[in-house]
Amino acid sequence: MAEKLQTRCVIAGGGPAGIMAGYLLARAGVPVIVLEKHADFFRDFRGDTIHPSTLELMYELGLLDEFLKQPHQEVRELRAVINGQTVPIADFTKLPTRCKFIAFMPQWDFLNFLSREATSFATFHLHMETEVVDLLIDNRRVTGVRARTPRGDLDVRADLVIGADGRNSIIQSRAGFQRREFGVPIDALWMRISKKPNDPGQTLGFFQHGKLLVLLDRGDYWQCGFVIPKGGFDEIKARGLPQLQNDIVSFAGFLRDRVTELDDWSKIKLLTVQINRLRDWCREGLVCIGDSAHAMSPAGGVGINLAIQDAVATANLLAEKLRSGAVSVGDLRKVQARREWPTRLIQGMQVFIHRHVVTGRSSDCKESLPFVVRLLKWFPVLRQIPAGFIGIGPRPEHFHSPTAG
Ligand SMILES: Cc1cc2nc3c(=O)[nH]c(=O)nc-3n(C[C@H](O)[C@H](O)[C@H](O)COP(=O)(O)OP(=O)(O)OC[C@H]3O[C@@H](n4cnc5c(N)ncnc54)[C@H](O)[C@@H]3O)c2cc1C
C-alpha cells in the first residue's frame, strides 16, 4: 500500500530547474514538494557555471551576498586555447548586471545552498531518495506522481506536476509527449586529474581542429570533459589508456606529469550528449521545464542558466494562481510560449557549434585560428557579444512572482 501525500505542486527532479522552481513557489506561499531520486546533490557529472543573469536573480531574491560566501571562482574574461594559442573569447566586465563575471561553483554547492534557503519556507518540502516512476492520471488530467522510496511507494497528489527530471525524463515519456531530436555528433568522457598551484586558470576549453578538452577547476582537481565522436568510446578503449593519456596531453601539456592518474577505465565515465525539444511542454495538470522539456548539450555552458530561467518564468506565470487553486492548460501553455524561443535560439547555436566547430572529429581546416576568433582577438569590443549571449542569454527572466506575507 503506497503512502499518500497531497500538495498544491509536486516537482519531479531536484536539479537547477526543480530546486529553483520549488524555492520560488514556496516563497510565494504555494505548498510544494520536490522529489529527487538521489540521496544528495553530490554528483560530478554536472556543469559548474552560475551566470551573471542567475547572479542577478540571486540579488533580486536578496540572496546574493550569502551566496557569494560559498567557495567559488569569479571569471571576468573567458579565454580559450585554440590550436595552441590562448585567445580571449568573452568579456563579462561590461555586462549590465551587478556581477560582471561567471561564478564557477560546483553545482552541488549551488543546489545545497538554494535548497537550504528554501527550507526556511514552511511550504517547501524536499524528499531525497525518492524516484518518480509514474504519473497519476484521472480522466486524462495528470493529478500527481507515484514514487519509489527506501521505505516503499509514495503517491503524491497535486494540482500541478512539474517535470524537472532532466534529459532522461520519466515524466515526459509517461506523459506521451512527442520529442524532436537534433542529432549531436559527440559524447563526452568525464574524469578527474589533480590540480597544481601553478596550473593555468579557468578557460572555456582547449580546442583543436574539431576536438575539445574542457577543464573545470574544482579546487584540488580538474574535472575534465573530453569530447569524442558519438559512439566512439569502444574504439578509444580498444586503442588503450596510454593513447587516451597522450591525446589529453596533446591538448593541455601541463597535465603530462599526472595524466597517468587515469590508470583504469573505471575512472573514466561516458556521458552521452543530446539536444532535443518537446513539441508540447504541457497537458492538463503537467508542465515540463529545463532539460526535461529541452535537453541541452554542454556547448556554451548555458543549459543550467536556461533551466533556471524556465523555473523563474514558471513561478512568475503560475504562482499567483497556484496559491488559490489549480491552473488551466492555457496557463501552462504560457510557460512554453514564453520559454520556447530562447530555447530554440540557444539550441540552434548548439547544433551549429556541433556541425562546424566541436564535431569530435579532426577537421581538415588548417587555419590555426578561425576568422571569427581572430576578429575577437583584434577587436576587444566584440568580446561583449559572446559575453552577453553566454552570460545573460536571450530573454533573461526577472523575479516578480509574489512573496508570501
Ligand atoms: C556532459 C555535460 C556537461 C554539461 N556542462 C554544462 C555546463 O558546464 N554548464 C551548463 O550550463 N550546462 C551544462 N550542461 C547542460 C546542463 O547539465 C543541463 O542543461 C542542466 O543541468 C539542466 O538542468 P535541469 O534541472 O533541467 O536537469 P538536471 O540538471 O539533469 O536535473 C534533473 C534532476 O532530476 C533528478 N531526477 C531524474 N530522474 C528523476 C526521477 N525519475 N525522479 C526524481 N528525480 C529524478 C536527477 O537526479 C537530477 O537531480 C552539460 C551537459 C552535459 C551532458
Side-chain angles (χ1 to χ4, degrees), residues 41-44 46-50 67 70-73 103-113 192 216-219 221 223 304:
F41 298 120
F42 198 78
R43 292 180 295 295
D44 65 8
R46 295 173 176 281
D48 293 16
T49 47
I50 307 295
F67 181 66
Q70 315 302 307
H72 68 282
Q73 286 177 65
F104 278 80
M105 177 187 291
Q107 202 182 107
W108 51 85
D109 286 341
F110 173 66
L111 294 175
N112 276 326
F113 173 83
R192 294 177 178 195
L216 295 174
D217 182 350
R218 295 231 175 116
Y221 69 92
Q223 179 64 57
I304 298 167

PDB file of all heavy atoms in Angstrom, residues 41-44 46-50 67 70-73 103-113 192 216-219 221 223 304:
ATOM      1  N   PHE A  41      23.131  15.873  -3.531  1.00  0.00           N
ATOM      2  CA  PHE A  41      23.356  16.556  -4.815  1.00  0.00           C
ATOM      3  C   PHE A  41      24.788  16.323  -5.309  1.00  0.00           C
ATOM      4  O   PHE A  41      25.225  16.939  -6.261  1.00  0.00           O
ATOM      5  CB  PHE A  41      23.133  18.059  -4.661  1.00  0.00           C
ATOM      6  CG  PHE A  41      21.719  18.416  -4.268  1.00  0.00           C
ATOM      7  CD1 PHE A  41      21.459  19.103  -3.093  1.00  0.00           C
ATOM      8  CD2 PHE A  41      20.656  18.047  -5.076  1.00  0.00           C
ATOM      9  CE1 PHE A  41      20.161  19.427  -2.735  1.00  0.00           C
ATOM     10  CE2 PHE A  41      19.353  18.364  -4.728  1.00  0.00           C
ATOM     11  CZ  PHE A  41      19.109  19.047  -3.557  1.00  0.00           C
ATOM     12  N   PHE A  42      25.513  15.446  -4.588  1.00  0.00           N
ATOM     13  CA  PHE A  42      26.940  15.333  -4.828  1.00  0.00           C
ATOM     14  C   PHE A  42      27.234  14.397  -5.994  1.00  0.00           C
ATOM     15  O   PHE A  42      27.570  13.234  -5.807  1.00  0.00           O
ATOM     16  CB  PHE A  42      27.632  14.836  -3.554  1.00  0.00           C
ATOM     17  CG  PHE A  42      29.095  15.106  -3.568  1.00  0.00           C
ATOM     18  CD1 PHE A  42      29.586  16.373  -3.288  1.00  0.00           C
ATOM     19  CD2 PHE A  42      29.992  14.110  -3.878  1.00  0.00           C
ATOM     20  CE1 PHE A  42      30.941  16.634  -3.322  1.00  0.00           C
ATOM     21  CE2 PHE A  42      31.353  14.359  -3.913  1.00  0.00           C
ATOM     22  CZ  PHE A  42      31.830  15.617  -3.629  1.00  0.00           C
ATOM     23  N   ARG A  43      27.062  14.911  -7.197  1.00  0.00           N
ATOM     24  CA  ARG A  43      27.399  14.116  -8.372  1.00  0.00           C
ATOM     25  C   ARG A  43      28.273  14.983  -9.270  1.00  0.00           C
ATOM     26  O   ARG A  43      28.025  16.155  -9.419  1.00  0.00           O
ATOM     27  CB  ARG A  43      26.128  13.684  -9.108  1.00  0.00           C
ATOM     28  CG  ARG A  43      25.336  12.693  -8.297  1.00  0.00           C
ATOM     29  CD  ARG A  43      24.097  12.254  -8.994  1.00  0.00           C
ATOM     30  NE  ARG A  43      23.118  13.283  -9.218  1.00  0.00           N
ATOM     31  CZ  ARG A  43      22.456  13.919  -8.256  1.00  0.00           C
ATOM     32  NH1 ARG A  43      22.714  13.663  -6.986  1.00  0.00           N
ATOM     33  NH2 ARG A  43      21.570  14.816  -8.559  1.00  0.00           N
ATOM     34  N   ASP A  44      29.321  14.362  -9.821  1.00  0.00           N
ATOM     35  CA  ASP A  44      30.283  15.213 -10.529  1.00  0.00           C
ATOM     36  C   ASP A  44      29.946  15.420 -12.001  1.00  0.00           C
ATOM     37  O   ASP A  44      30.620  16.142 -12.698  1.00  0.00           O
ATOM     38  CB  ASP A  44      31.715  14.673 -10.367  1.00  0.00           C
ATOM     39  CG  ASP A  44      31.903  13.326 -11.025  1.00  0.00           C
ATOM     40  OD1 ASP A  44      30.988  12.881 -11.723  1.00  0.00           O
ATOM     41  OD2 ASP A  44      32.973  12.731 -10.837  1.00  0.00           O
ATOM     42  N   ARG A  46      27.904  17.202 -13.450  1.00  0.00           N
ATOM     43  CA  ARG A  46      27.112  18.405 -13.651  1.00  0.00           C
ATOM     44  C   ARG A  46      28.050  19.555 -14.023  1.00  0.00           C
ATOM     45  O   ARG A  46      29.201  19.537 -13.647  1.00  0.00           O
ATOM     46  CB  ARG A  46      26.398  18.785 -12.355  1.00  0.00           C
ATOM     47  CG  ARG A  46      25.378  17.761 -11.915  1.00  0.00           C
ATOM     48  CD  ARG A  46      24.873  18.158 -10.557  1.00  0.00           C
ATOM     49  NE  ARG A  46      23.813  17.306 -10.067  1.00  0.00           N
ATOM     50  CZ  ARG A  46      22.552  17.374 -10.430  1.00  0.00           C
ATOM     51  NH1 ARG A  46      22.188  18.252 -11.335  1.00  0.00           N
ATOM     52  NH2 ARG A  46      21.664  16.584  -9.897  1.00  0.00           N
ATOM     53  N   GLY A  47      27.519  20.526 -14.724  1.00  0.00           N
ATOM     54  CA  GLY A  47      28.315  21.711 -15.022  1.00  0.00           C
ATOM     55  C   GLY A  47      28.424  22.595 -13.784  1.00  0.00           C
ATOM     56  O   GLY A  47      27.689  22.420 -12.827  1.00  0.00           O
ATOM     57  N   ASP A  48      29.347  23.539 -13.836  1.00  0.00           N
ATOM     58  CA  ASP A  48      29.654  24.335 -12.638  1.00  0.00           C
ATOM     59  C   ASP A  48      29.412  25.818 -12.836  1.00  0.00           C
ATOM     60  O   ASP A  48      29.930  26.630 -12.074  1.00  0.00           O
ATOM     61  CB  ASP A  48      31.141  24.169 -12.280  1.00  0.00           C
ATOM     62  CG  ASP A  48      31.479  22.763 -11.831  1.00  0.00           C
ATOM     63  OD1 ASP A  48      30.672  21.864 -12.076  1.00  0.00           O
ATOM     64  OD2 ASP A  48      32.544  22.580 -11.229  1.00  0.00           O
ATOM     65  N   THR A  49      28.678  26.203 -13.870  1.00  0.00           N
ATOM     66  CA  THR A  49      28.644  27.621 -14.209  1.00  0.00           C
ATOM     67  C   THR A  49      27.390  28.312 -13.662  1.00  0.00           C
ATOM     68  O   THR A  49      26.279  27.862 -13.905  1.00  0.00           O
ATOM     69  CB  THR A  49      28.674  27.783 -15.748  1.00  0.00           C
ATOM     70  OG1 THR A  49      27.712  26.889 -16.320  1.00  0.00           O
ATOM     71  CG2 THR A  49      30.026  27.446 -16.324  1.00  0.00           C
ATOM     72  N   ILE A  50      27.596  29.399 -12.913  1.00  0.00           N
ATOM     73  CA  ILE A  50      26.485  30.245 -12.464  1.00  0.00           C
ATOM     74  C   ILE A  50      26.662  31.589 -13.180  1.00  0.00           C
ATOM     75  O   ILE A  50      27.635  32.304 -12.944  1.00  0.00           O
ATOM     76  CB  ILE A  50      26.493  30.447 -10.928  1.00  0.00           C
ATOM     77  CG1 ILE A  50      26.556  29.094 -10.200  1.00  0.00           C
ATOM     78  CG2 ILE A  50      25.276  31.255 -10.483  1.00  0.00           C
ATOM     79  CD1 ILE A  50      25.355  28.204 -10.374  1.00  0.00           C
ATOM     80  N   PHE A  67      25.150  34.034  -0.955  1.00  0.00           N
ATOM     81  CA  PHE A  67      25.528  33.077  -1.996  1.00  0.00           C
ATOM     82  C   PHE A  67      27.016  33.199  -2.330  1.00  0.00           C
ATOM     83  O   PHE A  67      27.722  32.199  -2.460  1.00  0.00           O
ATOM     84  CB  PHE A  67      24.678  33.328  -3.240  1.00  0.00           C
ATOM     85  CG  PHE A  67      24.977  32.379  -4.366  1.00  0.00           C
ATOM     86  CD1 PHE A  67      24.695  31.031  -4.244  1.00  0.00           C
ATOM     87  CD2 PHE A  67      25.550  32.831  -5.540  1.00  0.00           C
ATOM     88  CE1 PHE A  67      24.977  30.140  -5.271  1.00  0.00           C
ATOM     89  CE2 PHE A  67      25.835  31.952  -6.570  1.00  0.00           C
ATOM     90  CZ  PHE A  67      25.544  30.612  -6.422  1.00  0.00           C
ATOM     91  N   GLN A  70      29.831  31.327  -0.572  1.00  0.00           N
ATOM     92  CA  GLN A  70      30.180  29.930  -0.889  1.00  0.00           C
ATOM     93  C   GLN A  70      31.469  29.958  -1.717  1.00  0.00           C
ATOM     94  O   GLN A  70      31.680  30.876  -2.521  1.00  0.00           O
ATOM     95  CB  GLN A  70      29.081  29.250  -1.729  1.00  0.00           C
ATOM     96  CG  GLN A  70      27.659  29.470  -1.268  1.00  0.00           C
ATOM     97  CD  GLN A  70      27.445  29.001   0.141  1.00  0.00           C
ATOM     98  OE1 GLN A  70      27.752  27.863   0.463  1.00  0.00           O
ATOM     99  NE2 GLN A  70      26.954  29.881   0.996  1.00  0.00           N
ATOM    100  N   PRO A  71      32.324  28.921  -1.535  1.00  0.00           N
ATOM    101  CA  PRO A  71      33.565  28.907  -2.324  1.00  0.00           C
ATOM    102  C   PRO A  71      33.253  28.902  -3.819  1.00  0.00           C
ATOM    103  O   PRO A  71      32.424  28.118  -4.275  1.00  0.00           O
ATOM    104  CB  PRO A  71      34.227  27.570  -1.918  1.00  0.00           C
ATOM    105  CG  PRO A  71      33.551  27.147  -0.660  1.00  0.00           C
ATOM    106  CD  PRO A  71      32.188  27.768  -0.645  1.00  0.00           C
ATOM    107  N   HIS A  72      33.859  29.834  -4.539  1.00  0.00           N
ATOM    108  CA  HIS A  72      33.639  29.908  -5.971  1.00  0.00           C
ATOM    109  C   HIS A  72      34.777  30.693  -6.605  1.00  0.00           C
ATOM    110  O   HIS A  72      35.577  31.299  -5.907  1.00  0.00           O
ATOM    111  CB  HIS A  72      32.308  30.615  -6.273  1.00  0.00           C
ATOM    112  CG  HIS A  72      32.328  32.069  -5.929  1.00  0.00           C
ATOM    113  ND1 HIS A  72      32.200  32.540  -4.627  1.00  0.00           N
ATOM    114  CD2 HIS A  72      32.501  33.174  -6.703  1.00  0.00           C
ATOM    115  CE1 HIS A  72      32.275  33.860  -4.632  1.00  0.00           C
ATOM    116  NE2 HIS A  72      32.466  34.269  -5.874  1.00  0.00           N
ATOM    117  N   GLN A  73      34.839  30.649  -7.940  1.00  0.00           N
ATOM    118  CA  GLN A  73      35.807  31.490  -8.652  1.00  0.00           C
ATOM    119  C   GLN A  73      35.063  32.448  -9.552  1.00  0.00           C
ATOM    120  O   GLN A  73      34.063  32.057 -10.150  1.00  0.00           O
ATOM    121  CB  GLN A  73      36.631  30.633  -9.593  1.00  0.00           C
ATOM    122  CG  GLN A  73      37.635  29.787  -8.940  1.00  0.00           C
ATOM    123  CD  GLN A  73      38.245  28.994 -10.057  1.00  0.00           C
ATOM    124  OE1 GLN A  73      38.898  29.544 -10.949  1.00  0.00           O
ATOM    125  NE2 GLN A  73      37.982  27.727 -10.058  1.00  0.00           N
ATOM    126  N   ALA A 103      30.348  32.874 -12.131  1.00  0.00           N
ATOM    127  CA  ALA A 103      30.853  32.214 -10.913  1.00  0.00           C
ATOM    128  C   ALA A 103      30.955  30.722 -11.211  1.00  0.00           C
ATOM    129  O   ALA A 103      29.977  30.105 -11.620  1.00  0.00           O
ATOM    130  CB  ALA A 103      29.903  32.465  -9.753  1.00  0.00           C
ATOM    131  N   PHE A 104      32.157  30.183 -11.054  1.00  0.00           N
ATOM    132  CA  PHE A 104      32.337  28.735 -11.180  1.00  0.00           C
ATOM    133  C   PHE A 104      32.205  28.145  -9.779  1.00  0.00           C
ATOM    134  O   PHE A 104      32.995  28.456  -8.892  1.00  0.00           O
ATOM    135  CB  PHE A 104      33.696  28.398 -11.800  1.00  0.00           C
ATOM    136  CG  PHE A 104      33.693  28.502 -13.295  1.00  0.00           C
ATOM    137  CD1 PHE A 104      33.797  29.731 -13.927  1.00  0.00           C
ATOM    138  CD2 PHE A 104      33.556  27.369 -14.096  1.00  0.00           C
ATOM    139  CE1 PHE A 104      33.769  29.839 -15.310  1.00  0.00           C
ATOM    140  CE2 PHE A 104      33.529  27.468 -15.483  1.00  0.00           C
ATOM    141  CZ  PHE A 104      33.631  28.696 -16.090  1.00  0.00           C
ATOM    142  N   MET A 105      31.177  27.352  -9.604  1.00  0.00           N
ATOM    143  CA  MET A 105      30.899  26.772  -8.288  1.00  0.00           C
ATOM    144  C   MET A 105      30.370  25.357  -8.542  1.00  0.00           C
ATOM    145  O   MET A 105      29.470  25.181  -9.376  1.00  0.00           O
ATOM    146  CB  MET A 105      29.810  27.605  -7.604  1.00  0.00           C
ATOM    147  CG  MET A 105      29.384  27.074  -6.262  1.00  0.00           C
ATOM    148  SD  MET A 105      27.960  27.995  -5.592  1.00  0.00           S
ATOM    149  CE  MET A 105      28.650  29.588  -5.218  1.00  0.00           C
ATOM    150  N   PRO A 106      30.911  24.339  -7.862  1.00  0.00           N
ATOM    151  CA  PRO A 106      30.354  23.001  -8.070  1.00  0.00           C
ATOM    152  C   PRO A 106      28.842  23.028  -7.875  1.00  0.00           C
ATOM    153  O   PRO A 106      28.340  23.652  -6.931  1.00  0.00           O
ATOM    154  CB  PRO A 106      31.037  22.157  -6.990  1.00  0.00           C
ATOM    155  CG  PRO A 106      32.314  22.881  -6.728  1.00  0.00           C
ATOM    156  CD  PRO A 106      32.000  24.348  -6.893  1.00  0.00           C
ATOM    157  N   GLN A 107      28.125  22.359  -8.773  1.00  0.00           N
ATOM    158  CA  GLN A 107      26.667  22.509  -8.752  1.00  0.00           C
ATOM    159  C   GLN A 107      26.041  22.014  -7.460  1.00  0.00           C
ATOM    160  O   GLN A 107      24.991  22.491  -7.060  1.00  0.00           O
ATOM    161  CB  GLN A 107      26.044  21.809  -9.947  1.00  0.00           C
ATOM    162  CG  GLN A 107      24.684  22.375 -10.233  1.00  0.00           C
ATOM    163  CD  GLN A 107      24.007  21.668 -11.377  1.00  0.00           C
ATOM    164  OE1 GLN A 107      23.083  20.908 -11.170  1.00  0.00           O
ATOM    165  NE2 GLN A 107      24.463  21.910 -12.577  1.00  0.00           N
ATOM    166  N   TRP A 108      26.697  21.037  -6.781  1.00  0.00           N
ATOM    167  CA  TRP A 108      26.099  20.564  -5.528  1.00  0.00           C
ATOM    168  C   TRP A 108      26.110  21.676  -4.485  1.00  0.00           C
ATOM    169  O   TRP A 108      25.205  21.748  -3.654  1.00  0.00           O
ATOM    170  CB  TRP A 108      26.786  19.292  -5.023  1.00  0.00           C
ATOM    171  CG  TRP A 108      28.294  19.348  -4.936  1.00  0.00           C
ATOM    172  CD1 TRP A 108      29.030  19.835  -3.906  1.00  0.00           C
ATOM    173  CD2 TRP A 108      29.220  18.891  -5.929  1.00  0.00           C
ATOM    174  NE1 TRP A 108      30.362  19.717  -4.186  1.00  0.00           N
ATOM    175  CE2 TRP A 108      30.518  19.132  -5.417  1.00  0.00           C
ATOM    176  CE3 TRP A 108      29.077  18.305  -7.182  1.00  0.00           C
ATOM    177  CZ2 TRP A 108      31.663  18.797  -6.126  1.00  0.00           C
ATOM    178  CZ3 TRP A 108      30.231  17.977  -7.872  1.00  0.00           C
ATOM    179  CH2 TRP A 108      31.499  18.225  -7.357  1.00  0.00           C
ATOM    180  N   ASP A 109      27.121  22.571  -4.530  1.00  0.00           N
ATOM    181  CA  ASP A 109      27.134  23.686  -3.571  1.00  0.00           C
ATOM    182  C   ASP A 109      25.969  24.633  -3.857  1.00  0.00           C
ATOM    183  O   ASP A 109      25.310  25.135  -2.950  1.00  0.00           O
ATOM    184  CB  ASP A 109      28.460  24.460  -3.660  1.00  0.00           C
ATOM    185  CG  ASP A 109      29.607  23.673  -3.038  1.00  0.00           C
ATOM    186  OD1 ASP A 109      29.322  22.751  -2.252  1.00  0.00           O
ATOM    187  OD2 ASP A 109      30.775  23.970  -3.353  1.00  0.00           O
ATOM    188  N   PHE A 110      25.731  24.884  -5.153  1.00  0.00           N
ATOM    189  CA  PHE A 110      24.617  25.754  -5.547  1.00  0.00           C
ATOM    190  C   PHE A 110      23.278  25.153  -5.093  1.00  0.00           C
ATOM    191  O   PHE A 110      22.444  25.834  -4.488  1.00  0.00           O
ATOM    192  CB  PHE A 110      24.642  25.937  -7.070  1.00  0.00           C
ATOM    193  CG  PHE A 110      23.455  26.670  -7.626  1.00  0.00           C
ATOM    194  CD1 PHE A 110      23.244  27.998  -7.318  1.00  0.00           C
ATOM    195  CD2 PHE A 110      22.552  26.038  -8.466  1.00  0.00           C
ATOM    196  CE1 PHE A 110      22.141  28.687  -7.825  1.00  0.00           C
ATOM    197  CE2 PHE A 110      21.454  26.705  -8.974  1.00  0.00           C
ATOM    198  CZ  PHE A 110      21.248  28.030  -8.652  1.00  0.00           C
ATOM    199  N   LEU A 111      23.090  23.868  -5.366  1.00  0.00           N
ATOM    200  CA  LEU A 111      21.801  23.233  -5.030  1.00  0.00           C
ATOM    201  C   LEU A 111      21.631  23.099  -3.518  1.00  0.00           C
ATOM    202  O   LEU A 111      20.524  23.280  -2.993  1.00  0.00           O
ATOM    203  CB  LEU A 111      21.687  21.868  -5.716  1.00  0.00           C
ATOM    204  CG  LEU A 111      21.622  21.928  -7.251  1.00  0.00           C
ATOM    205  CD1 LEU A 111      21.635  20.532  -7.856  1.00  0.00           C
ATOM    206  CD2 LEU A 111      20.388  22.693  -7.717  1.00  0.00           C
ATOM    207  N   ASN A 112      22.734  22.789  -2.821  1.00  0.00           N
ATOM    208  CA  ASN A 112      22.636  22.717  -1.354  1.00  0.00           C
ATOM    209  C   ASN A 112      22.253  24.082  -0.789  1.00  0.00           C
ATOM    210  O   ASN A 112      21.411  24.193   0.102  1.00  0.00           O
ATOM    211  CB  ASN A 112      23.982  22.280  -0.739  1.00  0.00           C
ATOM    212  CG  ASN A 112      24.114  20.763  -0.753  1.00  0.00           C
ATOM    213  OD1 ASN A 112      23.128  20.040  -0.609  1.00  0.00           O
ATOM    214  ND2 ASN A 112      25.332  20.275  -0.935  1.00  0.00           N
ATOM    215  N   PHE A 113      22.868  25.142  -1.331  1.00  0.00           N
ATOM    216  CA  PHE A 113      22.584  26.492  -0.845  1.00  0.00           C
ATOM    217  C   PHE A 113      21.108  26.842  -1.041  1.00  0.00           C
ATOM    218  O   PHE A 113      20.405  27.255  -0.125  1.00  0.00           O
ATOM    219  CB  PHE A 113      23.473  27.508  -1.583  1.00  0.00           C
ATOM    220  CG  PHE A 113      23.143  28.932  -1.264  1.00  0.00           C
ATOM    221  CD1 PHE A 113      23.652  29.532  -0.119  1.00  0.00           C
ATOM    222  CD2 PHE A 113      22.305  29.676  -2.083  1.00  0.00           C
ATOM    223  CE1 PHE A 113      23.335  30.854   0.198  1.00  0.00           C
ATOM    224  CE2 PHE A 113      21.977  30.987  -1.773  1.00  0.00           C
ATOM    225  CZ  PHE A 113      22.497  31.580  -0.629  1.00  0.00           C
ATOM    226  N   ARG A 192      38.648  12.870 -13.611  1.00  0.00           N
ATOM    227  CA  ARG A 192      39.353  13.832 -12.749  1.00  0.00           C
ATOM    228  C   ARG A 192      40.861  13.683 -12.893  1.00  0.00           C
ATOM    229  O   ARG A 192      41.359  12.564 -12.936  1.00  0.00           O
ATOM    230  CB  ARG A 192      39.038  13.550 -11.287  1.00  0.00           C
ATOM    231  CG  ARG A 192      37.624  13.769 -10.917  1.00  0.00           C
ATOM    232  CD  ARG A 192      37.437  13.377  -9.481  1.00  0.00           C
ATOM    233  NE  ARG A 192      36.061  13.643  -9.087  1.00  0.00           N
ATOM    234  CZ  ARG A 192      35.648  13.682  -7.829  1.00  0.00           C
ATOM    235  NH1 ARG A 192      36.497  13.448  -6.844  1.00  0.00           N
ATOM    236  NH2 ARG A 192      34.398  13.937  -7.545  1.00  0.00           N
ATOM    237  N   LEU A 216      37.335  21.883 -15.750  1.00  0.00           N
ATOM    238  CA  LEU A 216      36.619  22.693 -14.756  1.00  0.00           C
ATOM    239  C   LEU A 216      37.417  22.663 -13.461  1.00  0.00           C
ATOM    240  O   LEU A 216      37.721  21.589 -12.932  1.00  0.00           O
ATOM    241  CB  LEU A 216      35.224  22.113 -14.499  1.00  0.00           C
ATOM    242  CG  LEU A 216      34.235  22.140 -15.663  1.00  0.00           C
ATOM    243  CD1 LEU A 216      32.955  21.401 -15.280  1.00  0.00           C
ATOM    244  CD2 LEU A 216      33.905  23.571 -16.044  1.00  0.00           C
ATOM    245  N   ASP A 217      37.743  23.850 -12.971  1.00  0.00           N
ATOM    246  CA  ASP A 217      38.559  23.963 -11.756  1.00  0.00           C
ATOM    247  C   ASP A 217      37.703  23.624 -10.538  1.00  0.00           C
ATOM    248  O   ASP A 217      36.808  24.380 -10.174  1.00  0.00           O
ATOM    249  CB  ASP A 217      39.083  25.403 -11.677  1.00  0.00           C
ATOM    250  CG  ASP A 217      39.982  25.604 -10.473  1.00  0.00           C
ATOM    251  OD1 ASP A 217      40.045  24.706  -9.614  1.00  0.00           O
ATOM    252  OD2 ASP A 217      40.625  26.670 -10.406  1.00  0.00           O
ATOM    253  N   ARG A 218      37.982  22.499  -9.896  1.00  0.00           N
ATOM    254  CA  ARG A 218      37.234  22.134  -8.692  1.00  0.00           C
ATOM    255  C   ARG A 218      38.158  22.151  -7.474  1.00  0.00           C
ATOM    256  O   ARG A 218      38.134  21.250  -6.627  1.00  0.00           O
ATOM    257  CB  ARG A 218      36.590  20.755  -8.871  1.00  0.00           C
ATOM    258  CG  ARG A 218      35.520  20.722  -9.962  1.00  0.00           C
ATOM    259  CD  ARG A 218      34.228  20.123  -9.469  1.00  0.00           C
ATOM    260  NE  ARG A 218      33.179  20.192 -10.451  1.00  0.00           N
ATOM    261  CZ  ARG A 218      32.598  19.123 -11.003  1.00  0.00           C
ATOM    262  NH1 ARG A 218      32.994  17.913 -10.681  1.00  0.00           N
ATOM    263  NH2 ARG A 218      31.604  19.268 -11.854  1.00  0.00           N
ATOM    264  N   GLY A 219      39.017  23.177  -7.393  1.00  0.00           N
ATOM    265  CA  GLY A 219      39.883  23.349  -6.219  1.00  0.00           C
ATOM    266  C   GLY A 219      41.124  22.487  -6.321  1.00  0.00           C
ATOM    267  O   GLY A 219      42.131  22.914  -6.867  1.00  0.00           O
ATOM    268  N   TYR A 221      41.318  19.509  -7.871  1.00  0.00           N
ATOM    269  CA  TYR A 221      41.396  18.673  -9.076  1.00  0.00           C
ATOM    270  C   TYR A 221      40.708  19.374 -10.250  1.00  0.00           C
ATOM    271  O   TYR A 221      39.921  20.306 -10.073  1.00  0.00           O
ATOM    272  CB  TYR A 221      40.786  17.282  -8.832  1.00  0.00           C
ATOM    273  CG  TYR A 221      39.282  17.243  -8.650  1.00  0.00           C
ATOM    274  CD1 TYR A 221      38.426  17.039  -9.728  1.00  0.00           C
ATOM    275  CD2 TYR A 221      38.690  17.399  -7.387  1.00  0.00           C
ATOM    276  CE1 TYR A 221      37.057  16.985  -9.562  1.00  0.00           C
ATOM    277  CE2 TYR A 221      37.319  17.352  -7.216  1.00  0.00           C
ATOM    278  CZ  TYR A 221      36.503  17.143  -8.307  1.00  0.00           C
ATOM    279  OH  TYR A 221      35.134  17.099  -8.144  1.00  0.00           O
ATOM    280  N   GLN A 223      38.092  18.781 -13.184  1.00  0.00           N
ATOM    281  CA  GLN A 223      37.075  17.917 -13.768  1.00  0.00           C
ATOM    282  C   GLN A 223      37.236  18.037 -15.281  1.00  0.00           C
ATOM    283  O   GLN A 223      37.099  19.133 -15.829  1.00  0.00           O
ATOM    284  CB  GLN A 223      35.676  18.378 -13.334  1.00  0.00           C
ATOM    285  CG  GLN A 223      34.561  17.546 -13.906  1.00  0.00           C
ATOM    286  CD  GLN A 223      34.612  16.111 -13.407  1.00  0.00           C
ATOM    287  OE1 GLN A 223      34.580  15.878 -12.204  1.00  0.00           O
ATOM    288  NE2 GLN A 223      34.741  15.160 -14.325  1.00  0.00           N
ATOM    289  N   ILE A 304      22.341  25.187 -17.696  1.00  0.00           N
ATOM    290  CA  ILE A 304      21.917  25.423 -16.310  1.00  0.00           C
ATOM    291  C   ILE A 304      21.159  26.749 -16.232  1.00  0.00           C
ATOM    292  O   ILE A 304      20.085  26.851 -15.635  1.00  0.00           O
ATOM    293  CB  ILE A 304      23.141  25.451 -15.363  1.00  0.00           C
ATOM    294  CG1 ILE A 304      23.852  24.104 -15.387  1.00  0.00           C
ATOM    295  CG2 ILE A 304      22.731  25.835 -13.959  1.00  0.00           C
ATOM    296  CD1 ILE A 304      25.223  24.118 -14.733  1.00  0.00           C
TER     297      ILE A 304
END
